[in-house]
């Protein structure tokens, strides 16, 4: 059993993660279940120019796109809604959508760089209040840039104790030590393995415990063979960890956080 806590659909102007390639990549590498979000929720491109509304989707369209995909493969996916906190906001429509699709949609995804907005900004408050009230997780991109630092997630996680925050990438483009050292400080802070070296993943497990790290990949960001670069990690974890610790990382933590107990 392997759950990938971080996969994508969508087709923005700068990333392509087609639905059929995601399915093929998971089947090829025997990934049983995925937590999926749509890259079409990006608000700004890699140069931080706003994405032309003619080629982008609204937050609500992104929500429907994610729901429709998950409904096609309910035994294989649950969805996270990629939010647009800078150019849009938390609306009544989104609230109703989240409440009426709980079997398929289990939380939020946000990318502070592609929203040009740190998680500490007030524009996130309504999303966070709703997630806190309903115990929904927040998967959040963390990296070296001025919007995405793990310290910001730590600050917010102190205030919203009912939200489990997954710090995706454990601070991309760093040696991961800042993010790793934050993990044991709060019970609701987690990390994932996407683009993280095997060495850093082992260090994170040693410092924070196996119950704080989730397997994630960003598949199919590099095509059908995206999982190739995680083979060393999976093999090493199996060899180095106890069965309990290994299972926590590759599926048990995800099952608990994303409430997928009844799906598989
Ligand atoms: Zn991602």
């Amino acid at each position: 059993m392997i759950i990938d806590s971080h996969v994508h659909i969508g087709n923005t102007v700068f990333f392509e993660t087609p639905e059929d390639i995601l399915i093929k990549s998971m089947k090829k590498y025997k990934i049983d279940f995925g937590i999926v979000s749509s890259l079409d929720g990006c608000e700004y491109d890699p140069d931080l120019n706003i994405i032309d509304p003619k080629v982008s989707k609204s937050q609500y369209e992104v929500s429907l796109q994610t729901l429709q995909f998950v409904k096609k493969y309910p035994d294989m996916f649950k969805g996270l809604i990629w939010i647009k906190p800078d150019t849009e906001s938390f609306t009544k429509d989104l609230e109703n959508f989240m409440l009426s699709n709980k079997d398929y949609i289990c939380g939020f995804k946000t990318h502070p760089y592609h929203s040009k907005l740190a998680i500490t900004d007030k524009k996130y408050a309504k999303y966070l209040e709703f997630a806190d009230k309903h115990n929904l997780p927040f998967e959040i991109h963390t990296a070296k840039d001025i919007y995405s630092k793990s310290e910001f997630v730590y600050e917010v996680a102190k205030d919203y104790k009912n939200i489990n925050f997954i710090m995706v990438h454990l601070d991309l483009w760093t040696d991961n030590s800042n993010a790793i050292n934050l993990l044991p400080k709060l019970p609701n802070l987690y990390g994932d393995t996407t683009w993280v070296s095997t060495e850093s993943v082992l260090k994170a497990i040693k410092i924070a415990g196996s119950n704080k790290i989730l397997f994630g990949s960003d598949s199919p960001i590099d095509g059908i063979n995206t999982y190739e670069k995680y083979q060393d990690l999976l093999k090493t974890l199996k060899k180095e960890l106890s069965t309990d610790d290994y299972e926590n990382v590759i599926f048990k933590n995800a099952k608990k956080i994303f409430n997928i107990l009844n799906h598989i």
Side-chain angles (χ1 to χ4, degrees):
M1 162 71 60
I2 301 182
I3 298 177
D4 187 338
S5 64
H6 183 175
V7 299
H8 292 299
I9 52 171
N11 192 6
T12 69
V13 276
F14 50 92
F15 288 125
E16 263 191 38
T17 48
E19 297 179 2
D20 60 323
I21 302 295
L22 172 59
I23 303 283
K24 280 180 191 158
S25 79
M26 287 174 66
K27 289 199 167 147
K28 182 170 177 186
Y29 289 90
K30 299 189 173 20
I31 308 297
D32 302 275
F33 201 88
I35 301 298
V36 65
S37 58
S38 170
L39 290 163
D40 293 338
C42 285
E43 296 178 282
Y44 296 87
D45 70 15
D47 298 321
L48 296 181
N49 297 312
I50 195 150
I51 297 171
D52 184 345
K54 276 185 237 138
V55 296
S56 70
K57 289 187 171 69
S58 71
Q59 184 173 263
Y60 198 62
E61 284 168 337
V62 167
S63 308
L64 291 177
Q65 172 199 25
T66 309
L67 178 66
Q68 275 160 12
F69 177 71
V70 172
K71 276 188 166 174
K72 258 194 266 177
Y73 308 97
D75 298 329
M76 215 174 156
F77 294 100
K78 270 186 111 170
L80 299 176
I81 299 309
W82 187 307
I83 60 171
K84 303 184 82 166
D86 193 45
T87 54
E88 298 191 38
S89 61
F90 187 76
T91 59
K92 196 76 197 160
D93 276 352
L94 183 59
E95 178 174 354
N96 292 337
F97 175 90
M98 297 299 290
L99 293 176
S100 50
N101 292 296
K102 277 183 184 163
D103 289 347
Y104 304 102
I105 303 295
C106 57
F108 296 111
K109 155 84 185 192
T110 188
H111 197 302
Y113 183 82
H114 286 297
S115 286
K116 265 172 72 171
L117 204 65
I119 187 74
T120 45
D121 193 282
K122 282 197 186 83
K123 286 183 169 182
Y124 284 96
K126 283 195 174 161
Y127 298 93
L128 291 164
E129 281 158 20
F130 176 81
D132 196 56
K133 187 173 165 195
H134 296 279
N135 290 85
L136 300 176
F138 241 86
E139 199 164 274
I140 174 163
H141 171 92
T142 60
K144 198 180 180 178
D145 66 83
I146 58 162
Y147 304 106
S148 311
K149 291 181 196 304
S150 57
E151 291 99 294
F152 300 151
V153 188
Y154 170 73
E155 286 307 316
V156 170
K158 281 196 285 192
D159 293 336
Y160 295 96
K161 295 188 169 55
N162 298 319
I163 302 176
N164 286 319
F165 291 89
I166 300 100
M167 300 190 291
V168 172
H169 312 304
L170 290 170
D171 274 346
L172 195 61
W173 318 124
T174 73
D175 69 357
N176 308 112
S177 57
N178 272 357
I180 289 172
N181 290 330
L182 291 173
L183 286 173
K185 292 190 176 180
L186 292 172
N188 56 335
L189 270 185
Y190 296 80
D192 93 339
T193 67
T194 308
W195 303 98
V196 181
S197 69
T198 300
E199 191 191 350
S200 283
V201 172
L202 287 172
K203 188 178 158 197
I205 293 167
K206 198 172 165 197
I207 289 175
S210 64
N211 58 337
K212 288 302 205 81
I213 298 293
L214 287 74
F215 176 67
S217 76
D218 251 345
S219 182
I221 206 107
D222 290 329
I224 194 164
N225 294 321
T226 299
Y227 289 110
E228 205 53 53
K229 66 171 169 293
Y230 294 98
Q231 296 310 299
D232 171 65
L233 172 71
L234 290 170
K235 257 186 239 155
T236 307
L237 293 181
K238 195 160 196 176
K239 202 172 102 198
E240 302 279 329
L241 302 181
S242 69
T243 304
D244 274 355
D245 286 340
Y246 175 70
E247 289 185 346
N248 279 347
V249 175
I250 66 159
F251 74 92
K252 282 188 176 162
N253 297 335
K255 260 185 147 178
K256 198 171 63 189
I257 291 169
F258 300 108
N259 197 21
I260 41 184
L261 299 168
N262 301 324
H263 287 65
I264 41 176

PDB file of all heavy atoms in Angstrom, residues 5 11 17-18 38-39 45 60 70 77 84 97 114-115 127 133 146 152 158 168 187 200 203 220 225 237 241:
ATOM      1  N   SER A   5       0.659  11.607  -1.184  1.00  0.00           N
ATOM      2  CA  SER A   5      -0.117  12.713  -0.607  1.00  0.00           C
ATOM      3  C   SER A   5      -0.065  13.982  -1.447  1.00  0.00           C
ATOM      4  O   SER A   5      -0.632  14.998  -1.059  1.00  0.00           O
ATOM      5  CB  SER A   5       0.414  13.022   0.797  1.00  0.00           C
ATOM      6  OG  SER A   5       1.760  13.477   0.723  1.00  0.00           O
ATOM      7  N   ASN A  11      -3.388  22.084 -16.257  1.00  0.00           N
ATOM      8  CA  ASN A  11      -2.660  22.397 -17.475  1.00  0.00           C
ATOM      9  C   ASN A  11      -2.467  23.906 -17.563  1.00  0.00           C
ATOM     10  O   ASN A  11      -3.071  24.569 -18.375  1.00  0.00           O
ATOM     11  CB  ASN A  11      -3.488  21.874 -18.656  1.00  0.00           C
ATOM     12  CG  ASN A  11      -2.708  21.886 -19.930  1.00  0.00           C
ATOM     13  OD1 ASN A  11      -1.503  22.173 -19.930  1.00  0.00           O
ATOM     14  ND2 ASN A  11      -3.384  21.597 -21.025  1.00  0.00           N
ATOM     15  N   THR A  17       0.220  18.683 -16.246  1.00  0.00           N
ATOM     16  CA  THR A  17       0.030  17.443 -15.494  1.00  0.00           C
ATOM     17  C   THR A  17      -1.302  16.816 -15.938  1.00  0.00           C
ATOM     18  O   THR A  17      -2.291  16.863 -15.209  1.00  0.00           O
ATOM     19  CB  THR A  17       0.032  17.714 -13.965  1.00  0.00           C
ATOM     20  OG1 THR A  17      -0.848  18.820 -13.677  1.00  0.00           O
ATOM     21  CG2 THR A  17       1.412  18.047 -13.449  1.00  0.00           C
ATOM     22  N   PRO A  18      -1.299  16.223 -17.144  1.00  0.00           N
ATOM     23  CA  PRO A  18      -2.555  15.682 -17.683  1.00  0.00           C
ATOM     24  C   PRO A  18      -3.084  14.511 -16.849  1.00  0.00           C
ATOM     25  O   PRO A  18      -2.309  13.739 -16.296  1.00  0.00           O
ATOM     26  CB  PRO A  18      -2.161  15.188 -19.085  1.00  0.00           C
ATOM     27  CG  PRO A  18      -0.807  15.730 -19.354  1.00  0.00           C
ATOM     28  CD  PRO A  18      -0.168  16.015 -18.039  1.00  0.00           C
ATOM     29  N   SER A  38      -5.326  20.747  -8.357  1.00  0.00           N
ATOM     30  CA  SER A  38      -5.152  21.225  -9.735  1.00  0.00           C
ATOM     31  C   SER A  38      -4.249  22.445  -9.803  1.00  0.00           C
ATOM     32  O   SER A  38      -4.523  23.470  -9.171  1.00  0.00           O
ATOM     33  CB  SER A  38      -6.505  21.582 -10.348  1.00  0.00           C
ATOM     34  OG  SER A  38      -6.277  22.252 -11.571  1.00  0.00           O
ATOM     35  N   LEU A  39      -3.215  22.322 -10.623  1.00  0.00           N
ATOM     36  CA  LEU A  39      -2.285  23.441 -10.823  1.00  0.00           C
ATOM     37  C   LEU A  39      -2.955  24.640 -11.487  1.00  0.00           C
ATOM     38  O   LEU A  39      -2.383  25.730 -11.532  1.00  0.00           O
ATOM     39  CB  LEU A  39      -1.123  22.984 -11.704  1.00  0.00           C
ATOM     40  CG  LEU A  39      -0.145  21.986 -11.080  1.00  0.00           C
ATOM     41  CD1 LEU A  39       0.681  21.327 -12.151  1.00  0.00           C
ATOM     42  CD2 LEU A  39       0.760  22.698 -10.090  1.00  0.00           C
ATOM     43  N   ASP A  45       2.464  33.550 -12.600  1.00  0.00           N
ATOM     44  CA  ASP A  45       3.375  32.628 -13.277  1.00  0.00           C
ATOM     45  C   ASP A  45       4.737  32.632 -12.572  1.00  0.00           C
ATOM     46  O   ASP A  45       4.934  33.363 -11.593  1.00  0.00           O
ATOM     47  CB  ASP A  45       3.455  32.970 -14.782  1.00  0.00           C
ATOM     48  CG  ASP A  45       4.185  34.275 -15.060  1.00  0.00           C
ATOM     49  OD1 ASP A  45       4.884  34.791 -14.160  1.00  0.00           O
ATOM     50  OD2 ASP A  45       4.069  34.782 -16.184  1.00  0.00           O
ATOM     51  N   TYR A  60     -13.573  28.630  -8.299  1.00  0.00           N
ATOM     52  CA  TYR A  60     -14.719  27.721  -8.322  1.00  0.00           C
ATOM     53  C   TYR A  60     -14.601  26.714  -9.468  1.00  0.00           C
ATOM     54  O   TYR A  60     -14.919  25.527  -9.301  1.00  0.00           O
ATOM     55  CB  TYR A  60     -16.030  28.518  -8.420  1.00  0.00           C
ATOM     56  CG  TYR A  60     -17.221  27.687  -8.008  1.00  0.00           C
ATOM     57  CD1 TYR A  60     -17.312  27.184  -6.709  1.00  0.00           C
ATOM     58  CD2 TYR A  60     -18.234  27.382  -8.909  1.00  0.00           C
ATOM     59  CE1 TYR A  60     -18.393  26.393  -6.322  1.00  0.00           C
ATOM     60  CE2 TYR A  60     -19.321  26.602  -8.525  1.00  0.00           C
ATOM     61  CZ  TYR A  60     -19.396  26.112  -7.237  1.00  0.00           C
ATOM     62  OH  TYR A  60     -20.460  25.331  -6.853  1.00  0.00           O
ATOM     63  N   VAL A  70     -12.010  13.510  -9.215  1.00  0.00           N
ATOM     64  CA  VAL A  70     -12.066  12.565  -8.090  1.00  0.00           C
ATOM     65  C   VAL A  70     -13.291  11.658  -8.212  1.00  0.00           C
ATOM     66  O   VAL A  70     -13.223  10.456  -7.936  1.00  0.00           O
ATOM     67  CB  VAL A  70     -12.060  13.328  -6.740  1.00  0.00           C
ATOM     68  CG1 VAL A  70     -12.309  12.384  -5.574  1.00  0.00           C
ATOM     69  CG2 VAL A  70     -10.746  14.056  -6.541  1.00  0.00           C
ATOM     70  N   PHE A  77      -8.556   8.435  -5.528  1.00  0.00           N
ATOM     71  CA  PHE A  77      -8.189   9.824  -5.203  1.00  0.00           C
ATOM     72  C   PHE A  77      -9.144  10.476  -4.208  1.00  0.00           C
ATOM     73  O   PHE A  77     -10.332  10.168  -4.177  1.00  0.00           O
ATOM     74  CB  PHE A  77      -8.214  10.699  -6.472  1.00  0.00           C
ATOM     75  CG  PHE A  77      -7.194  10.342  -7.490  1.00  0.00           C
ATOM     76  CD1 PHE A  77      -7.548   9.570  -8.602  1.00  0.00           C
ATOM     77  CD2 PHE A  77      -5.869  10.736  -7.351  1.00  0.00           C
ATOM     78  CE1 PHE A  77      -6.601   9.215  -9.545  1.00  0.00           C
ATOM     79  CE2 PHE A  77      -4.921  10.388  -8.298  1.00  0.00           C
ATOM     80  CZ  PHE A  77      -5.278   9.625  -9.404  1.00  0.00           C
ATOM     81  N   LYS A  84      -7.195  30.499  -4.385  1.00  0.00           N
ATOM     82  CA  LYS A  84      -6.684  31.711  -5.021  1.00  0.00           C
ATOM     83  C   LYS A  84      -6.914  32.897  -4.072  1.00  0.00           C
ATOM     84  O   LYS A  84      -7.788  33.742  -4.308  1.00  0.00           O
ATOM     85  CB  LYS A  84      -7.396  31.914  -6.366  1.00  0.00           C
ATOM     86  CG  LYS A  84      -7.249  30.713  -7.307  1.00  0.00           C
ATOM     87  CD  LYS A  84      -7.869  30.936  -8.681  1.00  0.00           C
ATOM     88  CE  LYS A  84      -6.946  31.700  -9.567  1.00  0.00           C
ATOM     89  NZ  LYS A  84      -7.358  31.667 -11.005  1.00  0.00           N
ATOM     90  N   PHE A  97     -19.639  24.350  -1.267  1.00  0.00           N
ATOM     91  CA  PHE A  97     -18.987  23.307  -2.061  1.00  0.00           C
ATOM     92  C   PHE A  97     -18.216  22.338  -1.150  1.00  0.00           C
ATOM     93  O   PHE A  97     -18.328  21.119  -1.270  1.00  0.00           O
ATOM     94  CB  PHE A  97     -18.030  23.952  -3.066  1.00  0.00           C
ATOM     95  CG  PHE A  97     -17.220  22.970  -3.859  1.00  0.00           C
ATOM     96  CD1 PHE A  97     -17.683  22.471  -5.063  1.00  0.00           C
ATOM     97  CD2 PHE A  97     -15.986  22.539  -3.386  1.00  0.00           C
ATOM     98  CE1 PHE A  97     -16.932  21.555  -5.784  1.00  0.00           C
ATOM     99  CE2 PHE A  97     -15.228  21.612  -4.099  1.00  0.00           C
ATOM    100  CZ  PHE A  97     -15.708  21.125  -5.298  1.00  0.00           C
ATOM    101  N   HIS A 114       3.126  31.152  -6.004  1.00  0.00           N
ATOM    102  CA  HIS A 114       2.257  31.377  -7.165  1.00  0.00           C
ATOM    103  C   HIS A 114       0.998  32.180  -6.813  1.00  0.00           C
ATOM    104  O   HIS A 114       0.167  32.454  -7.677  1.00  0.00           O
ATOM    105  CB  HIS A 114       1.900  30.055  -7.843  1.00  0.00           C
ATOM    106  CG  HIS A 114       3.039  29.488  -8.628  1.00  0.00           C
ATOM    107  ND1 HIS A 114       3.583  30.140  -9.719  1.00  0.00           N
ATOM    108  CD2 HIS A 114       3.760  28.351  -8.475  1.00  0.00           C
ATOM    109  CE1 HIS A 114       4.587  29.424 -10.196  1.00  0.00           C
ATOM    110  NE2 HIS A 114       4.729  28.339  -9.468  1.00  0.00           N
ATOM    111  N   SER A 115       0.844  32.539  -5.530  1.00  0.00           N
ATOM    112  CA  SER A 115      -0.201  33.492  -5.134  1.00  0.00           C
ATOM    113  C   SER A 115       0.411  34.812  -4.687  1.00  0.00           C
ATOM    114  O   SER A 115      -0.324  35.740  -4.306  1.00  0.00           O
ATOM    115  CB  SER A 115      -1.073  32.912  -4.003  1.00  0.00           C
ATOM    116  OG  SER A 115      -1.935  31.919  -4.502  1.00  0.00           O
ATOM    117  N   TYR A 127     -10.246  31.340   4.942  1.00  0.00           N
ATOM    118  CA  TYR A 127      -9.996  29.930   4.579  1.00  0.00           C
ATOM    119  C   TYR A 127      -9.543  29.166   5.835  1.00  0.00           C
ATOM    120  O   TYR A 127      -9.976  28.048   6.099  1.00  0.00           O
ATOM    121  CB  TYR A 127      -8.877  29.817   3.542  1.00  0.00           C
ATOM    122  CG  TYR A 127      -9.117  30.474   2.203  1.00  0.00           C
ATOM    123  CD1 TYR A 127      -8.704  31.778   1.947  1.00  0.00           C
ATOM    124  CD2 TYR A 127      -9.721  29.750   1.168  1.00  0.00           C
ATOM    125  CE1 TYR A 127      -8.886  32.362   0.702  1.00  0.00           C
ATOM    126  CE2 TYR A 127      -9.905  30.331  -0.086  1.00  0.00           C
ATOM    127  CZ  TYR A 127      -9.490  31.634  -0.308  1.00  0.00           C
ATOM    128  OH  TYR A 127      -9.666  32.203  -1.548  1.00  0.00           O
ATOM    129  N   LYS A 133     -12.400  25.187  11.822  1.00  0.00           N
ATOM    130  CA  LYS A 133     -13.715  24.788  12.340  1.00  0.00           C
ATOM    131  C   LYS A 133     -14.077  23.356  11.926  1.00  0.00           C
ATOM    132  O   LYS A 133     -14.700  22.618  12.671  1.00  0.00           O
ATOM    133  CB  LYS A 133     -14.769  25.770  11.800  1.00  0.00           C
ATOM    134  CG  LYS A 133     -16.140  25.601  12.379  1.00  0.00           C
ATOM    135  CD  LYS A 133     -17.064  26.711  11.909  1.00  0.00           C
ATOM    136  CE  LYS A 133     -18.513  26.345  12.171  1.00  0.00           C
ATOM    137  NZ  LYS A 133     -19.438  27.199  11.428  1.00  0.00           N
ATOM    138  N   ILE A 146      10.567  34.645  -0.484  1.00  0.00           N
ATOM    139  CA  ILE A 146      10.023  35.505   0.581  1.00  0.00           C
ATOM    140  C   ILE A 146       8.562  35.222   0.942  1.00  0.00           C
ATOM    141  O   ILE A 146       8.074  35.674   1.970  1.00  0.00           O
ATOM    142  CB  ILE A 146      10.156  37.014   0.238  1.00  0.00           C
ATOM    143  CG1 ILE A 146       9.434  37.324  -1.087  1.00  0.00           C
ATOM    144  CG2 ILE A 146      11.614  37.442   0.194  1.00  0.00           C
ATOM    145  CD1 ILE A 146       9.139  38.810  -1.263  1.00  0.00           C
ATOM    146  N   PHE A 152       6.688  30.841   8.375  1.00  0.00           N
ATOM    147  CA  PHE A 152       5.348  31.444   8.278  1.00  0.00           C
ATOM    148  C   PHE A 152       4.269  30.399   8.603  1.00  0.00           C
ATOM    149  O   PHE A 152       3.270  30.706   9.234  1.00  0.00           O
ATOM    150  CB  PHE A 152       5.097  32.021   6.879  1.00  0.00           C
ATOM    151  CG  PHE A 152       6.059  33.098   6.457  1.00  0.00           C
ATOM    152  CD1 PHE A 152       6.360  33.286   5.104  1.00  0.00           C
ATOM    153  CD2 PHE A 152       6.653  33.934   7.386  1.00  0.00           C
ATOM    154  CE1 PHE A 152       7.245  34.285   4.706  1.00  0.00           C
ATOM    155  CE2 PHE A 152       7.539  34.939   6.998  1.00  0.00           C
ATOM    156  CZ  PHE A 152       7.830  35.107   5.651  1.00  0.00           C
ATOM    157  N   LYS A 158       0.411  27.771  14.961  1.00  0.00           N
ATOM    158  CA  LYS A 158       0.242  28.020  16.399  1.00  0.00           C
ATOM    159  C   LYS A 158      -1.172  28.503  16.698  1.00  0.00           C
ATOM    160  O   LYS A 158      -1.730  28.225  17.743  1.00  0.00           O
ATOM    161  CB  LYS A 158       1.244  29.095  16.873  1.00  0.00           C
ATOM    162  CG  LYS A 158       2.647  28.563  17.077  1.00  0.00           C
ATOM    163  CD  LYS A 158       3.500  29.523  17.912  1.00  0.00           C
ATOM    164  CE  LYS A 158       3.932  30.721  17.109  1.00  0.00           C
ATOM    165  NZ  LYS A 158       4.957  31.551  17.719  1.00  0.00           N
ATOM    166  N   VAL A 168       4.910  21.099   2.306  1.00  0.00           N
ATOM    167  CA  VAL A 168       5.395  20.400   1.121  1.00  0.00           C
ATOM    168  C   VAL A 168       6.811  20.880   0.781  1.00  0.00           C
ATOM    169  O   VAL A 168       7.077  22.085   0.824  1.00  0.00           O
ATOM    170  CB  VAL A 168       4.422  20.692  -0.046  1.00  0.00           C
ATOM    171  CG1 VAL A 168       4.979  20.150  -1.346  1.00  0.00           C
ATOM    172  CG2 VAL A 168       3.059  20.111   0.242  1.00  0.00           C
ATOM    173  N   PRO A 187       2.225  19.879  17.245  1.00  0.00           N
ATOM    174  CA  PRO A 187       1.650  18.585  16.829  1.00  0.00           C
ATOM    175  C   PRO A 187       0.986  18.628  15.462  1.00  0.00           C
ATOM    176  O   PRO A 187       0.814  17.594  14.822  1.00  0.00           O
ATOM    177  CB  PRO A 187       0.617  18.284  17.928  1.00  0.00           C
ATOM    178  CG  PRO A 187       0.350  19.588  18.595  1.00  0.00           C
ATOM    179  CD  PRO A 187       1.574  20.439  18.446  1.00  0.00           C
ATOM    180  N   SER A 200      17.724  14.023   3.768  1.00  0.00           N
ATOM    181  CA  SER A 200      16.887  14.929   4.562  1.00  0.00           C
ATOM    182  C   SER A 200      15.633  14.238   5.101  1.00  0.00           C
ATOM    183  O   SER A 200      15.189  14.529   6.212  1.00  0.00           O
ATOM    184  CB  SER A 200      16.464  16.150   3.732  1.00  0.00           C
ATOM    185  OG  SER A 200      17.519  17.068   3.627  1.00  0.00           O
ATOM    186  N   LYS A 203      16.679  12.346   8.067  1.00  0.00           N
ATOM    187  CA  LYS A 203      16.966  13.285   9.164  1.00  0.00           C
ATOM    188  C   LYS A 203      15.649  13.781   9.807  1.00  0.00           C
ATOM    189  O   LYS A 203      15.532  13.858  11.032  1.00  0.00           O
ATOM    190  CB  LYS A 203      17.774  14.466   8.596  1.00  0.00           C
ATOM    191  CG  LYS A 203      18.300  15.416   9.640  1.00  0.00           C
ATOM    192  CD  LYS A 203      19.123  16.532   8.976  1.00  0.00           C
ATOM    193  CE  LYS A 203      19.198  17.748   9.860  1.00  0.00           C
ATOM    194  NZ  LYS A 203      19.624  18.954   9.129  1.00  0.00           N
ATOM    195  N   PRO A 220       2.158  14.050 -11.986  1.00  0.00           N
ATOM    196  CA  PRO A 220       3.136  13.639 -13.006  1.00  0.00           C
ATOM    197  C   PRO A 220       3.936  14.832 -13.559  1.00  0.00           C
ATOM    198  O   PRO A 220       4.063  14.966 -14.772  1.00  0.00           O
ATOM    199  CB  PRO A 220       2.226  13.051 -14.080  1.00  0.00           C
ATOM    200  CG  PRO A 220       0.991  13.947 -14.027  1.00  0.00           C
ATOM    201  CD  PRO A 220       0.878  14.442 -12.603  1.00  0.00           C
ATOM    202  N   ASN A 225       7.208   8.921 -15.780  1.00  0.00           N
ATOM    203  CA  ASN A 225       8.260   8.336 -14.927  1.00  0.00           C
ATOM    204  C   ASN A 225       8.683   9.246 -13.763  1.00  0.00           C
ATOM    205  O   ASN A 225       9.789   9.113 -13.235  1.00  0.00           O
ATOM    206  CB  ASN A 225       9.468   7.966 -15.784  1.00  0.00           C
ATOM    207  CG  ASN A 225       9.125   6.845 -16.741  1.00  0.00           C
ATOM    208  OD1 ASN A 225       8.410   5.907 -16.389  1.00  0.00           O
ATOM    209  ND2 ASN A 225       9.586   6.955 -17.977  1.00  0.00           N
ATOM    210  N   LEU A 237      14.046   3.781   2.700  1.00  0.00           N
ATOM    211  CA  LEU A 237      13.141   3.815   3.853  1.00  0.00           C
ATOM    212  C   LEU A 237      12.786   2.401   4.290  1.00  0.00           C
ATOM    213  O   LEU A 237      12.761   2.084   5.478  1.00  0.00           O
ATOM    214  CB  LEU A 237      11.859   4.597   3.522  1.00  0.00           C
ATOM    215  CG  LEU A 237      12.000   6.105   3.282  1.00  0.00           C
ATOM    216  CD1 LEU A 237      10.641   6.722   2.993  1.00  0.00           C
ATOM    217  CD2 LEU A 237      12.646   6.814   4.478  1.00  0.00           C
ATOM    218  N   LEU A 241      14.125   1.699   8.050  1.00  0.00           N
ATOM    219  CA  LEU A 241      13.103   1.944   9.082  1.00  0.00           C
ATOM    220  C   LEU A 241      12.456   0.650   9.561  1.00  0.00           C
ATOM    221  O   LEU A 241      12.437  -0.353   8.839  1.00  0.00           O
ATOM    222  CB  LEU A 241      12.003   2.859   8.529  1.00  0.00           C
ATOM    223  CG  LEU A 241      12.393   4.230   7.990  1.00  0.00           C
ATOM    224  CD1 LEU A 241      11.133   4.971   7.512  1.00  0.00           C
ATOM    225  CD2 LEU A 241      13.106   5.070   9.047  1.00  0.00           C
TER     226      LEU A 241
END
